[in-house]
Amino acid sequence: MNKQQRNRVTYIIYCINAFAERYKLSAKQAFAYLQRFKGLVFLDECYEAEHQLSLSDTVDDLSVICKRNGGALG
């Protein structure tokens, strides 16, 4: 894995943990929710833009994306 890929993975893990904290979930629950409602796909596809935002803004964006895809949090 090259440095860019490691940075992307680290960022996604950081976002999962921030999402979990905001919604009082375990990291495992947050991961499952984000995977089910396309939040992880969004983070991967929009990494270049999202990693330049604040973590709070990114969690807000994740909430919107997941809600659009059937999620109930947010």
Side-chain angles (χ1 to χ4, degrees), residues 33 37 63 65-74:
Y33 180 87
F37 298 110
S63 298
I65 293 299
C66 290
K67 194 169 188 174
R68 286 183 188 165
N69 288 295
L73 296 177

Side-chain angles (χ1 to χ4, degrees), residues 13 16-21 24-36 40:
I13 291 168
I16 291 167
N17 287 325
F19 189 89
E21 186 175 318
K24 311 279 190 271
L25 303 170
S26 69
K28 184 176 180 177
Q29 289 170 319
F31 175 84
Y33 180 87
L34 291 170
Q35 185 175 38
R36 179 175 180 192
L40 296 179

Side-chain angles (χ1 to χ4, degrees), residues 5-70:
Q5 289 169 323
R6 279 194 309 270
N7 287 344
R8 186 179 290 233
V9 169
T10 299
Y11 174 75
I12 290 172
I13 291 168
Y14 191 54
C15 292
I16 291 167
N17 287 325
F19 189 89
E21 186 175 318
R22 179 179 291 181
Y23 292 106
K24 311 279 190 271
L25 303 170
S26 69
K28 184 176 180 177
Q29 289 170 319
F31 175 84
Y33 180 87
L34 291 170
Q35 185 175 38
R36 179 175 180 192
F37 298 110
K38 312 287 190 242
L40 296 179
V41 171
F42 167 77
L43 281 178
D44 188 45
E45 290 177 355
C46 299
Y47 169 78
E48 293 300 325
E50 288 294 319
H51 87 278
Q52 296 180 45
L53 300 174
S54 71
L55 189 57
S56 179
D57 286 344
T58 299
V59 173
D60 290 344
D61 291 347
L62 284 169
S63 298
V64 170
I65 293 299
C66 290
K67 194 169 188 174
R68 286 183 188 165
N69 288 295

